[in-house]
Amino acid sequence: MQPLDGTDTRLLSAMAKDPRGTVVALAQKLGLSRNTVQARMAQLEKKHAFLSFERRINPVALGYPLTAFISVHVQQQKLATLAKDLADIPEILEGFGLTGSADLLLRVVALDAEDLFRINGKILACDGVERTDTALAMREMIPYRVQPLLGRRSEG
């Protein structure tokens, strides 16, 4: 991705502060024309600057109040097919390949502790999984955010 310029950063910052703001409102707030804002937004979309809307949906609203992080130790040669199998488990919200002692870190949601046990069993049943370690999220301490990075970019 190409680095963003100051106008892009200001636009993203304004969108982060008011995600439901219209193009016209953003243009007024930033002192830009509506066409400039629309063109910039289209370019930002092409640069993959926007994540999916799906990231804004709270799993608690869907009935999944429990969040856990599961570290997965795998047989490396089976990692590619394992990722596909894990993606078929709907309660896995995201997964990351890691360095260190574990190979994968999965963020999962569950209805309750018994449901988490079931989900962990589905993960363990996947071909290539050697073992898992589960950590229950007690409370979100720092919500997902990008605003501090946008502020830092506009300073530099």
Side-chain angles (χ1 to χ4, degrees):
M1 180 189 294
Q2 298 173 345
L4 305 178
D5 65 16
T7 301
D8 290 335
T9 303
R10 286 181 36 228
L11 176 58
L12 288 172
S13 185
M15 292 175 71
K17 288 176 185 168
D18 183 12
R20 297 172 67 132
T22 64
V23 171
V24 172
L26 289 167
Q28 288 174 340
K29 180 179 263 185
L30 298 172
L32 300 170
S33 73
R34 180 185 56 79
N35 288 340
T36 299
V37 170
Q38 282 184 312
R40 290 289 184 134
M41 288 176 69
Q43 286 302 313
L44 287 168
E45 192 165 2
K46 284 182 187 175
K47 292 178 183 179
H48 304 286
F50 301 121
L51 298 175
S52 72
F53 179 80
E54 199 174 14
R55 291 185 70 89
R56 293 186 44 118
I57 300 170
N58 188 343
V60 174
L62 303 175
Y64 293 89
L66 201 66
T67 298
F69 295 90
I70 301 179
S71 300
V72 184
H73 303 264
V74 305
Q75 297 168 7
Q76 290 295 313
Q77 67 275 18
K78 297 183 178 179
L79 189 56
T81 55
L82 176 59
K84 291 175 187 164
D85 292 341
L86 291 171
D88 289 336
I89 301 172
E91 295 87 356
I92 297 175
L93 300 184
E94 56 187 340
F96 298 90
L98 302 176
T99 62
S101 62
D103 302 299
L104 297 172
L105 180 64
L106 306 177
R107 180 175 166 221
V108 304
V109 293
L111 303 171
D112 52 31
E114 187 174 322
D115 193 39
L116 180 59
F117 185 79
R118 177 191 61 81
I119 295 161
N120 194 53
K122 288 179 83 170
I123 294 167
L124 284 166
C126 291
D127 186 36
V129 172
E130 293 178 342
R131 69 183 178 88
T132 63
D133 298 307
T134 303
L136 188 60
M138 301 300 287
R139 183 167 132 208
E140 183 178 63
M141 301 297 288
I142 302 171
Y144 184 84
R145 67 207 180 122
V146 192
Q147 190 68 42
L149 296 176
L150 291 168
R152 190 168 189 193
R153 290 234 351 125
S154 64
E155 292 170 4

